[in-house]
């Protein structure tokens, strides 16, 4: 099971290390493929006054220090094409934000690197149409590849992440069918914390209700997923971005244990189904 966890944005190196330290059990679990997540820039904040992060150079330096100290694999967002190459020299996964999931130039530049690419499904996108975003990356790396040649294994190095669809104004809803649909052409990660976000719900800031994140994560695991994404902070109420929908380290550790148990059941069920088909 892929587990992606960490703060929404790099606030300072002290808090970053504190959160990284709290997530050590995930890294040490042999049943988990762990990635520490933090953004050096949040370019899609609701308000111009909202905190964005330390920027590319200082942010990558902070992430490099985390890799050196803890040995973690890393994931970070990119918003501009010029960020792909330098970011890929530090992190293992380049994440394409949901609002930019159709941004061809951004996906192409990310695909020119050796990093794994995690494309978040836009709040406005149908799950079927995400196959074309995957193809943009795959065809950049191999122009001869055909749509029928999707590999749903991690070796494909292009993941998709479900984080819900817009439901009216300021609310999201998760269609669990999306997980099965997208899993036909890419490994699928479920973003438990952004799925409970309420965009623009706090007068210039995004709100959310983190209490629902574990519920949705368990439901997603029961459908069948390849990984779980959760933003984590040691003090969500003081977080500079996405605090209302973030989880504490204690909650994510308990939740991941449950997700692994559910995944074991689903894996056994799918294996039995495959044997019956044979």
């Amino acid at each position: 099971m892929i587990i992606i966890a960490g703060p929404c944005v790099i606030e300072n190196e002290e808090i970053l290390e504190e959160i990284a330290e709290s997530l050590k059990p995930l890294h040490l679990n042999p049943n988990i493929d762990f990635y520490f997540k933090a953004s050096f820039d949040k370019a899609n904040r609701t308000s111009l006054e909202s905190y964005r992060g330390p920027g590319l150079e200082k942010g990558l330096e902070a992430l490099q220090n985390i890799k050196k100290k803890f040995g973690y694999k890393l994931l970070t967002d990119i918003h501009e094409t010029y960020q792909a190459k330098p970011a890929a020299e530090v992190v293992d996964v380049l994440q394409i934000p949901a609002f930019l999931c159709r941004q061809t130039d951004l996906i192409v530049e990310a695909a020119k690197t050796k990093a794994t690419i995690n494309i978040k499904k836009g709040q406005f996108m149908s799950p079927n149409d995400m196959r074309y975003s995957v193809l943009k990356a795959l065809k950049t790396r191999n122009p001869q590849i055909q749509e029928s040649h999707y590999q749903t294994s991690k070796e494909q190095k292009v993941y998709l992440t479900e984080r819900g669809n817009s439901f009216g104004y300021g609310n999201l809803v998760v269609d669990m069918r999306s997980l099965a649909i997208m899993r036909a052409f890419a490994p699928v990660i479920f973003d438990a914390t952004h799925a409970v976000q309420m965009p623009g719900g706090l007068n210039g800031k995004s709100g959310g209700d983190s209490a629902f994140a574990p519920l949705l994560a368990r439901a997603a695991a029961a459908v069948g997923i390849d990984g779980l994404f959760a933003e984590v902070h040691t003090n969500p109420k003081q977080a500079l971005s996405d605090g209302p929908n973030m989880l504490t380290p204690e909650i994510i550790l308990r939740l991941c244990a449950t997700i692994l148990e559910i995944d074991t059941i689903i894996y056994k069920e799918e294996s039995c189904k495959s044997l019956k088909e044979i």
Side-chain angles (χ1 to χ4, degrees):
M1 177 66 67
I2 299 165
I3 301 292
I4 300 166
C8 176
V9 65
I10 299 170
E11 297 177 10
N12 59 57
E13 292 201 37
E14 182 181 0
I15 292 176
L16 194 68
E17 286 197 17
E18 181 181 279
I19 297 170
E21 179 73 32
S22 73
L23 297 175
K24 263 187 179 180
L26 299 179
H27 175 63
L28 296 174
N29 190 323
N31 297 312
I32 289 175
D33 184 14
F34 176 63
Y35 295 82
F36 182 75
K37 179 267 174 185
S39 299
F40 56 80
D41 180 26
K42 300 299 294 182
N44 55 356
R45 299 300 305 275
T46 304
S47 170
L48 184 63
E49 284 72 35
S50 297
Y51 177 74
R52 289 182 51 166
L56 180 65
E57 186 175 340
K58 290 184 178 179
L60 291 179
E61 182 179 337
L63 289 172
Q64 183 68 64
N65 290 338
I66 293 295
K67 175 174 279 192
K68 184 177 180 180
K69 182 171 182 177
F70 296 96
Y72 294 164
K73 289 184 284 187
L74 303 173
L75 176 148
T76 198
D77 304 277
I78 57 171
H79 293 82
E80 303 281 353
T81 54
Y82 74 87
Q83 297 171 341
K85 185 176 179 180
E89 293 174 358
V90 175
V91 306
D92 303 271
V93 182
L94 295 177
Q95 183 164 275
I96 307 298
F99 286 125
L100 300 175
C101 68
R102 290 181 52 161
Q103 201 75 7
T104 301
D105 290 348
L106 188 62
I107 294 173
V108 167
E109 285 304 309
K112 288 178 181 178
T113 73
K114 295 181 179 180
T116 295
I117 303 170
N118 183 36
I119 307 174
K120 303 192 81 172
K121 180 174 76 64
Q123 302 90 321
F124 46 87
M125 291 288 289
S126 79
N128 271 311
D129 282 346
M130 289 305 297
R131 71 179 66 235
Y132 303 110
S133 293
V134 173
L135 270 177
K136 288 175 183 179
L138 295 180
K139 285 195 170 186
T140 298
R141 289 174 170 170
N142 179 8
Q144 306 306 316
I145 199 167
Q146 300 298 316
E147 187 173 345
S148 59
H149 293 165
Y150 287 118
Q151 297 175 5
T152 55
S153 65
K154 289 171 63 178
E155 284 69 28
Q156 177 174 278
K157 296 187 71 173
V158 181
Y159 304 160
L160 290 174
T161 291
E162 169 61 63
R163 50 85 39 91
N165 278 72
S166 295
F167 188 71
Y169 296 116
N171 199 16
L172 299 171
V173 66
V174 178
D175 181 353
M176 292 292 171
R177 295 174 298 180
S178 296
L179 302 172
I181 292 169
M182 295 194 299
R183 216 175 180 201
F185 42 86
V188 170
I189 315 294
F190 179 67
D191 184 343
T193 49
H194 284 101
V196 299
Q197 190 182 60
M198 297 176 182
L202 293 178
N203 297 320
K205 297 180 181 179
S206 288
D209 191 343
S210 61
F212 288 108
L215 279 67
L216 291 178
R218 295 197 295 267
V223 173
I225 53 177
D226 300 282
L228 179 71
F229 178 110
E231 290 190 332
V232 177
H233 200 287
T234 47
N235 190 351
K237 290 183 179 180
Q238 298 298 318
L240 299 181
S241 177
D242 275 356
N245 48 273
M246 294 172 79
L247 302 178
T248 63
E250 294 78 16
I251 291 175
I252 190 63
L253 294 180
R254 291 200 304 269
L255 177 59
C256 285
T258 303
I259 295 302
L260 290 176
E261 291 181 16
I262 296 172
D263 187 62
T264 298
I265 296 170
I266 297 302
Y267 179 77
K268 288 180 179 178
E269 183 179 307
E270 290 178 346
S271 296
C272 291
K273 187 185 296 183
S274 298
L275 289 173
K276 288 177 182 177
E277 290 175 352
I278 292 172

